[in-house]
Amino acid sequence: MAERSTAAVDVADTSGEEPLPAKAGKATDDGAKAEKVSGGETDAARTDERRADATEAQPPELHSGHKLARRYRLEECVTRLDGFSSWRAVDEKLRRAVGVHILPADHPRARPVLSAARSSALLGDPRFVQVLDAVEENDVVYVVHEWLPDATELTTVLANGPLEPHDAYQLVSQVSQAMAAAHREGLSHLRITPGSVLRTESGQYRIRGLAVMAALRGITCEHPQRTDTEAIGALLYAALTQRWPYENDAHGLTGLPKGVGLIAPDQVRAGVHRGLSELAMRALINDGATASRQEQPCTTPEELAKAVAAMPRIRPPETAFTTPPPYQRTGYQQGSYRQNSGHNGSAGRTQPVATPPPPLQSRTGRALKWSVSALLIAALGLGSWQLADTLLKRENDQDDPGNSQPAGGPAKKPGGKPIKIVNAEEYYPDGKPQHPDQARNTHDGDPSTYWRSLSFKEGPELNPAFKQGVGLIYDLGSKQQISSASIGLHYIGKYTTVTLYAADSLTTSEPLSSMRKLGSGQTSGATAKIKLKQPANARYVVVWFTAMPYGPTDEFSGPGYKQGVTEVSFTS
């Protein structure tokens, strides 16, 4: 715990300025002006009044070693600013590092911060740094959040150079999907910067400060979706060029030349991926910046996520293997292992190795060769005789008019043929989706990509009062005769129950009661195979899960009963 993590939550950075280190007993100011956000400006007089009120509401006297709720021990002050402070702390109950924002209960932003923290905690999306607690106690309001010691700020990552196309693609894909999910729940960030995005050692991106960071700074906006979308576009621009897409320098990055305006990333730096360059411009400019293709601008994270999904997938670079050094013969192979201690100056000389005689040149060897040759000739003669006898019997059977059995024995049924999947959607008749944007991953031919459900507290059988089940619906293009299905599963354990239904359309709200059940199966392995008792004709097929195994915490979700689908295939 003595080391300072790069994943510390720091809300002092504004307008791209580097946060100043906090000193014990002395408040620091980062020179922030009246907050101004795209899509709506905060009234300057009102902002000055808020800042004055915040300055008057000084934070309580806190120091390293102080405990909150007899549980959270403060270790290191990260920021002191505008009447609040941010700390690295230790949760002594669970023995883990956490981050804490603290401000007086009479601070003008105390209520908005509490409300924002509780709303963010209810989202429960693992792509965000989670809020663990939000409490008002003893004239103090504090918000406790995750601390990620293995994560690195994007600011630090970009200081080492621009990202590879695959890494930049993953960045914009994961961040836009996460913010689209947050906006669907009515939450916005308003301060997405390279300092608020973390990259873990596994290559996943986590966003910190959802709703809370803006509440701490008193930032409001008339068009929050547009603001967050432009911020994601700025992240992508910086990741591709290692330049900030505005004239001012910010976040350790050099801005664009003054008077030039916003130019496309592939014009700033050679070798930039053209598709990602156009995507960054579509997110940054309202009227679009790709006039050659007349692409529509992306004004919401949802539109940006869809634009990313429509791009050809960018594969990671292949691992470069170095040529191994030439093979060196060992001393033992050179005959130097058992050297006689030399006499008369012969020390160190190797004994000459006698050349072995040619194999099978003795009398026994010659007899063995003749025996093997005789056996081979006998085997060939016996095989030829059996083949001729079989052919004669087959001709006799064909000449016999009373024999109705075709030659070669009973006819074998041809094996099942794979059925092409045209489209896939997540199926959620209760109106509560899991991850609908991942449905296409279940038939893309890549087992490393998958659709996953949320984590549930009860299982393996889902509680019908809370959730009837989760599933996917597939379009086979036209009516096909289906005899079996194979569903690849991401999580294994006891146990997964899956059922197939024939639907009338690709809609996600058609009730199961109106569908025809085709078959079901249960497995504890990595593949669920369902064979229909009788082949059935259907165009739309629902794959419905009602029981899922328990899975631990991973890079995408917390512990609980959950399942993921890697690849689905149907055969006729």
Side-chain angles (χ1 to χ4, degrees):
M1 297 302 299
E3 297 182 0
R4 182 187 179 100
S5 169
T6 58
V9 174
D10 190 351
V11 295
D13 57 324
T14 60
S15 303
E17 298 179 1
E18 295 297 330
L20 299 177
K23 297 181 180 180
K26 181 181 179 182
T28 61
D29 187 12
D30 63 349
K33 308 299 180 185
E35 285 80 357
K36 185 179 297 183
V37 182
S38 301
E41 298 184 0
T42 306
D43 181 77
R46 186 182 305 170
T47 304
D48 293 339
E49 182 180 350
R50 288 180 180 175
R51 187 174 297 278
D53 293 341
T55 304
E56 292 177 2
Q58 294 297 327
E61 290 297 329
L62 300 172
H63 54 82
S64 297
H66 184 88
K67 287 187 182 179
L68 299 173
R70 298 182 180 179
R71 175 175 179 177
Y72 305 110
R73 185 181 75 247
L74 303 182
E75 291 286 322
E76 178 186 10
C77 183
V78 178
T79 303
R80 289 185 189 271
L81 181 69
D82 286 351
F84 69 85
S85 59
S86 299
W87 294 75
R88 176 174 61 85
V90 175
D91 182 351
E92 294 186 337
K93 184 175 182 180
L94 298 180
R95 298 182 180 180
R96 63 179 178 180
V98 294
V100 184
H101 299 307
I102 306 174
L103 64 166
D106 58 351
H107 194 287
R109 300 174 193 157
R111 299 300 172 191
V113 168
L114 273 177
S115 177
R118 289 166 180 171
S119 298
S120 177
L122 290 175
L123 180 62
D125 193 316
R127 293 170 292 193
F128 295 93
V129 174
Q130 299 295 299
V131 172
L132 305 176
D133 207 353
V135 180
E136 179 179 359
E137 183 182 67
N138 298 330
D139 299 327
V140 173
V141 168
Y142 60 89
V143 176
V144 183
H145 54 80
E146 283 184 298
W147 188 277
L148 305 177
D150 65 333
T152 306
E153 284 186 4
L154 188 60
T155 305
T156 304
V157 176
L158 294 180
N160 298 323
L163 300 184
E164 294 292 333
H166 176 261
D167 292 334
Y169 172 83
Q170 290 295 326
L171 168 68
V172 67
S173 176
Q174 294 180 31
V175 174
S176 62
Q177 290 181 21
M179 288 309 305
H183 279 285
R184 283 195 293 267
E185 299 298 328
L187 296 173
S188 56
H189 195 292
L190 305 184
R191 282 184 59 80
I192 299 177
T193 66
S196 62
V197 177
L198 310 175
R199 187 170 75 173
T200 65
E201 291 182 350
S202 62
Q204 304 301 317
Y205 291 92
R206 304 281 297 273
I207 305 171
R208 65 187 180 192
L210 177 66
V212 176
M213 192 175 290
L216 283 168
R217 302 311 307 273
I219 299 176
T220 59
C221 178
E222 295 180 3
H223 306 288
Q225 295 202 49
R226 179 63 218 166
T227 298
D228 284 342
T229 305
E230 288 185 356
I232 299 172
L235 287 183
L236 178 58
Y237 195 105
L240 296 173
T241 63
Q242 203 185 10
R243 299 285 292 269
W244 194 237
Y246 304 103
E247 292 185 352
N248 59 305
D249 299 345
H251 310 292
L253 301 172
T254 305
L256 298 178
K258 296 184 183 296
V260 175
L262 183 59
I263 52 179
D266 56 359
Q267 298 177 9
V268 175
R269 174 175 166 266
V272 172
H273 189 278
R274 179 67 181 276
L276 293 175
S277 174
E278 292 181 352
L279 198 64
M281 299 299 283
R282 291 176 63 187
L284 280 170
I285 298 184
N286 289 334
D287 58 355
T290 54
S292 61
R293 295 185 58 187
Q294 298 297 324
E295 295 284 358
Q296 292 296 320
C298 298
T299 58
T300 67
E302 184 79 30
E303 292 179 359
L304 183 57
K306 290 181 179 179
V308 175
M311 288 180 55
R313 184 168 301 175
I314 301 175
R315 300 291 181 181
E318 296 183 0
T319 305
F321 294 98
T322 57
T323 304
Y327 177 70
Q328 299 291 335
R329 295 179 62 87
T330 64
Y332 173 75
Q333 291 168 324
Q334 294 170 355
S336 61
Y337 174 61
R338 296 180 60 181
Q339 293 181 349
N340 297 327
S341 55
H343 297 284
N344 300 326
S346 61
R349 296 180 183 176
T350 60
Q351 296 296 326
V353 180
T355 304
L360 300 180
Q361 292 301 314
S362 63
R363 178 181 298 178
T364 304
R366 287 194 295 270
L368 181 60
K369 286 197 297 183
W370 282 108
S371 300
V372 172
S373 300
L375 288 174
L376 288 175
I377 293 172
L380 288 173
L382 180 61
S384 302
W385 176 79
Q386 289 180 340
L387 178 60
D389 185 63
T390 301
L391 294 174
L392 288 174
K393 286 183 178 180
R394 182 174 298 179
E395 290 180 0
N396 292 336
D397 291 340
Q398 291 177 349
D399 293 339
D400 186 1
N403 187 6
S404 60
Q405 180 69 35
K412 296 181 180 180
K413 295 183 179 179
K417 295 182 179 179
I419 301 174
K420 182 180 179 181
I421 297 175
V422 176
N423 196 8
E425 298 287 347
E426 184 175 309
Y427 175 68
Y428 47 98
D430 59 355
K432 299 177 181 178
Q434 307 289 296
H435 296 93
D437 56 310
Q438 299 174 357
R440 61 186 177 86
N441 294 341
T442 63
H443 65 99
D444 61 355
D446 184 0
S448 65
T449 61
Y450 57 93
W451 166 91
R452 59 186 176 84
S453 71
L454 300 178
S455 297
F456 298 92
K457 294 182 179 179
E458 298 182 40
E461 297 288 343
L462 296 180
N463 185 354
F466 179 73
K467 194 75 173 176
Q468 296 283 343
V470 296
L472 300 152
I473 183 169
Y474 295 90
D475 181 5
L476 306 182
S478 62
K479 273 199 173 184
Q480 303 285 340
Q481 187 182 61
I482 305 170
S483 60
S484 63
S486 176
I487 299 101
L489 304 176
H490 184 70
Y491 300 102
I492 60 175
K494 190 176 180 180
Y495 50 86
T496 299
T497 302
V498 58
T499 306
L500 301 183
Y501 292 90
D504 294 329
S505 64
L506 199 62
T507 179
T508 60
S509 59
E510 181 181 351
L512 284 174
S513 57
S514 65
M515 299 182 186
R516 176 165 46 98
K517 182 178 179 180
L518 301 179
S520 62
Q522 191 176 93
T523 183
S524 297
T527 305
K529 294 185 179 295
I530 301 176
K531 186 172 181 60
L532 278 60
K533 294 181 179 179
Q534 294 292 336
N537 292 325
R539 172 176 176 175
Y540 304 99
V541 181
V542 171
V543 178
W544 185 246
F545 295 90
T546 54
M548 298 181 289
Y550 183 85
T553 301
D554 55 25
E555 65 270 23
F556 290 116
S557 61
Y561 294 91
K562 53 188 176 180
Q563 190 53 274
V565 178
T566 56
E567 289 294 315
V568 172
S569 62
F570 300 96
T571 54
S572 59

